[in-house]
Amino acid sequence: QFPRECVTPEGLRSGQCCPSPAETPNDPCGSSTGRGQCVAVVADGRPHGPQYPHDGRDDRERWPLRFFNRTCQCNGNFSGYNCGSCRHGLTGVNCDQPVSVVRRNVMLLSPDEKRAFVNALDQAKRTVHPDIVIATRRYQEIFGPDGNTMQFQNITIYNYFVWSHYYSVSKTYLGPGQESFGGVDFSHEGPGFVTWHRFHLLQLERDMQDMLQDPSFALPYWNFAIGGSTCDICSDDLLGARSSFDLNSISSNSIFSQWRVICESVEDYDTLGTICNSKDRAHCRKSGTESSPIRRNPAGNVARPMVQRLPQPQDVADCLELSVFDTPPFYSTSSESFRNSIEGYSAPQGNYDPVIRSLHNLAHLFLNGTGGQTHLSPNDPIFVLLHTFTDAIFDEWLRRHSPARPYTLTEIITLAVVAALVVVAVIFAATTCAIRTRSYAKLEGRQPLLGEQYQRYSDEHDKTQSVV
Ligand SMILES: O=C1C=c2cc(C(=O)O)[nH]c2=CC1=O
């Protein structure tokens, strides 16, 4: 997924993606106005962990170096692929006006607010993303059969949200006739789980703010830790009630019954080395099958009773007690790890047990349908609310256990200078004391203890009272 302006044959061959902000053409990254500059990308070059035994086989390794090695780095409050937008929470031409973006419990929205949110999601499902296009082939084939037909496509704002999640979890293609490698997932089962999903949500929130021209638009959250087997947000004024005719479908009174899922032909992609794309529909139509509606049957997985109920409020309280963010082997098998507990591969109290599913994972599996399959789950808009709540728990954990931030170079130098001054002051004070003590010791025999004016104590008075 890249800015539309960067995916020309020349753009990709140059390896540079440094577009100009809309207001200042021919000014890469808005450098003339101090917004940012075009710099070499520095990607993490450390070796992969044991879970991923390949090297150089997947476009996603050391992202985005396979495609671009120079991109915009924005200064201060500026942000975005061309530094043409503001950092989250800021607005205005100079990005210096704070704007409050408050995520609220979706159940507490007024009827008008609920309607506005549902309509905004539906608008995002239908509106083509103004800036971003998606790759439909791997890098090897990205220039097309003639070397000049770029393999990128437009995508809608909401489908881009679905696509980027799919891209992060899809298998590594190892070549024709070979089974794709599914042992790695770039956004789950590891330390990046909470931060990857935080950025994913911020991207959608920002895209919807721009679409609505409302910089204060906030995604609400679903408090899924209510126990029991009722999906409280599955009503037609919110995310859609259950259809009366099909246990696995959404009621036709909900706009979400009209939504069609993308990225479901996962076996085809893994065999052909293609990437989820909207040609799916044409392909499906030719073979006589329309792309499917969202499937959802909350609490309906009778074969797996453990996932027929939602997490309990105490589960949230328990995982917040875990003070260590993540623990070796930094995987879905970690114990005493906040990340693995909120993700839901270990118990909320921290102990790992392969049969346990809790918190975030349990909420996904409870949905029992599109929202419970990792490559498809964001197709069900409940995903958005499930993840804003997961993010709220992460936020609370950061407040309680905020890991010490490493010092910057400036802070280290300042601390060193202050420490040196303190040492000099202590040495000076100690030396002065020692010299004075020695001179007093010499004079002690000749000098009255309290000096001239305190020499006399009245014999008639208490000895502690001086007579002046
Ligand atoms: O969409 C998801 C679906 C999931 C299913 C599990 C599981 O524990 O089996 N975990 C999931 C995470 C998802 O993000």
Side-chain angles (χ1 to χ4, degrees):
Q1 65 280 23
F2 296 108
R4 191 174 286 108
E5 293 149 88
C6 292
V7 299
T8 58
E10 309 75 54
L12 265 175
R13 287 199 179 99
S14 74
Q16 179 164 306
C17 177
C18 291
S20 307
E23 309 78 44
T24 52
N26 302 318
D27 182 22
C29 313
S31 63
S32 75
T33 48
R35 286 182 161 254
Q37 49 282 321
C38 188
V39 298
V41 174
V42 181
D44 190 346
R46 286 174 295 179
H48 303 303
Q51 295 95 344
Y52 184 68
H54 305 289
D55 205 8
R57 303 293 291 271
D58 196 307
D59 291 347
R60 298 166 296 180
E61 292 172 37
R62 301 192 173 85
W63 183 261
L65 290 183
R66 185 65 59 89
F67 296 86
F68 294 105
N69 55 22
R70 289 180 70 78
T71 61
C72 289
Q73 185 178 61
C74 307
N75 300 325
N77 293 344
F78 301 109
S79 178
Y81 67 93
N82 57 4
C83 303
S85 46
C86 305
R87 284 174 60 176
H88 292 275
L90 291 165
T91 189
V93 183
N94 298 317
C95 297
D96 51 4
Q97 292 166 32
V99 58
S100 169
V101 179
V102 181
R103 292 185 180 164
R104 295 166 57 202
N105 185 331
V106 74
M107 295 296 287
L108 303 180
L109 300 184
S110 69
D112 280 351
E113 288 167 335
K114 287 178 181 171
R115 206 171 305 115
F117 173 60
V118 166
N119 288 342
L121 278 178
D122 191 51
Q123 189 181 340
K125 180 77 175 174
R126 292 180 284 104
T127 305
V128 171
H129 199 294
D131 308 316
I132 301 291
V133 290
I134 53 148
T136 59
R137 315 290 296 192
R138 293 172 310 117
Y139 183 77
Q140 243 177 1
E141 296 164 301
I142 209 77
F143 290 91
D146 61 359
N148 246 348
T149 312
M150 306 310 289
Q151 304 294 298
F152 289 92
Q153 256 179 17
N154 279 329
I155 189 156
T156 70
I157 289 171
Y158 194 87
N159 283 349
Y160 169 53
F161 180 70
V162 181
W163 187 94
S164 37
H165 192 261
Y166 164 80
Y167 191 62
S168 76
V169 302
S170 62
K171 291 183 181 177
T172 297
Y173 183 65
L174 295 178
Q178 292 189 63
E179 199 175 333
S180 293
F181 177 76
V184 70
D185 176 329
F186 288 82
S187 55
H188 302 83
E189 300 182 55
F193 166 71
V194 275
T195 43
W196 191 96
H197 285 86
R198 170 167 285 196
F199 188 76
H200 190 221
L201 290 170
L202 286 172
Q203 236 171 6
L204 177 67
E205 198 163 54
R206 157 61 57 85
D207 288 343
M208 291 181 71
Q209 288 167 355
D210 292 346
M211 176 189 81
L212 299 167
Q213 299 188 337
D214 174 6
S216 69
F217 169 81
L219 298 168
Y221 65 84
W222 171 36
N223 177 2
F224 57 66
I226 50 172
S229 57
T230 305
C231 174
D232 54 348
I233 58 169
C234 296
S235 52
D236 283 334
D237 60 343
L238 282 174
L239 281 294
R242 192 195 292 277
S243 158
S244 324
F245 306 104
D246 176 2
L247 277 182
N248 292 293
S249 296
I250 298 176
S251 142
S252 58
N253 295 325
S254 162
I255 189 68
F256 299 117
S257 65
Q258 306 298 315
W259 281 29
R260 293 295 174 263
V261 309
I262 64 160
C263 304
E264 65 177 342
S265 311
V266 61
E267 269 114 41
D268 288 354
Y269 316 136
D270 292 343
T271 325
L272 302 170
T274 54
I275 303 177
C276 156
N277 60 76
S278 61
K279 286 190 187 120
D280 280 352
R281 289 191 81 156
H283 166 79
C284 288
R285 244 183 250 119
K286 252 188 262 157
S287 60
T289 48
E290 270 293 348
S291 175
S292 331
I294 297 166
R295 313 291 286 168
R296 192 195 291 159
N297 180 3
N301 190 345
V302 286
R304 208 170 164 187
M306 219 194 76
V307 303
Q308 287 186 285
R309 54 156 195 90
L310 284 166
Q312 298 287 341
Q314 187 59 38
D315 298 344
V316 176
D318 286 345
C319 83
L320 284 170
E321 293 290 314
L322 295 166
S323 59
V324 180
F325 177 73
D326 210 347
T327 57
F330 305 105
Y331 194 39
S332 47
T333 49
S334 292
S335 276
E336 311 310 321
S337 147
F338 165 74
R339 189 273 314 159
N340 207 30
S341 289
I342 180 64
E343 187 169 1
Y345 287 106
S346 61
Q349 301 78 7
N351 48 306
Y352 169 68
D353 178 340
V355 302
I356 283 178
R357 286 295 184 273
S358 68
L359 290 158
H360 150 269
N361 279 342
L362 180 53
H364 271 293
L365 296 173
F366 172 84
L367 296 176
N368 189 33
T370 306
Q373 301 168 66
T374 313
H375 66 285
L376 284 179
S377 50
N379 278 294
D380 185 334
I382 289 186
F383 179 102
V384 175
L385 306 182
L386 186 163
H387 272 278
T388 41
F389 186 60
T390 306
D391 192 66
I393 300 171
F394 174 41
D395 216 55
E396 178 61 22
W397 184 88
L398 284 172
R399 271 178 232 281
R400 293 193 193 180
H401 306 281
S402 203
R405 174 176 60 80
Y407 290 118
T408 62
L409 186 62
T410 321
E411 285 168 339
I412 291 170
I413 293 169
T414 313
L415 282 173
V417 170
V418 170
L421 288 173
V422 168
V423 169
V424 168
V426 167
I427 292 171
F428 178 76
T431 314
T432 314
C433 278
I435 292 168
R436 285 210 179 141
T437 310
R438 216 179 295 150
S439 16
Y440 283 142
K442 275 192 202 150
L443 293 169
E444 208 170 32
R446 288 174 272 144
Q447 289 281 322
L449 199 61
L450 294 173
E452 284 297 319
Q453 78 229 66
Y454 298 114
Q455 263 180 346
R456 292 175 297 120
Y457 285 88
S458 160
D459 286 341
E460 301 90 67
H461 292 87
D462 186 301
K463 291 277 186 214
T464 58
Q465 253 183 330
S466 63
V467 179
V468 181

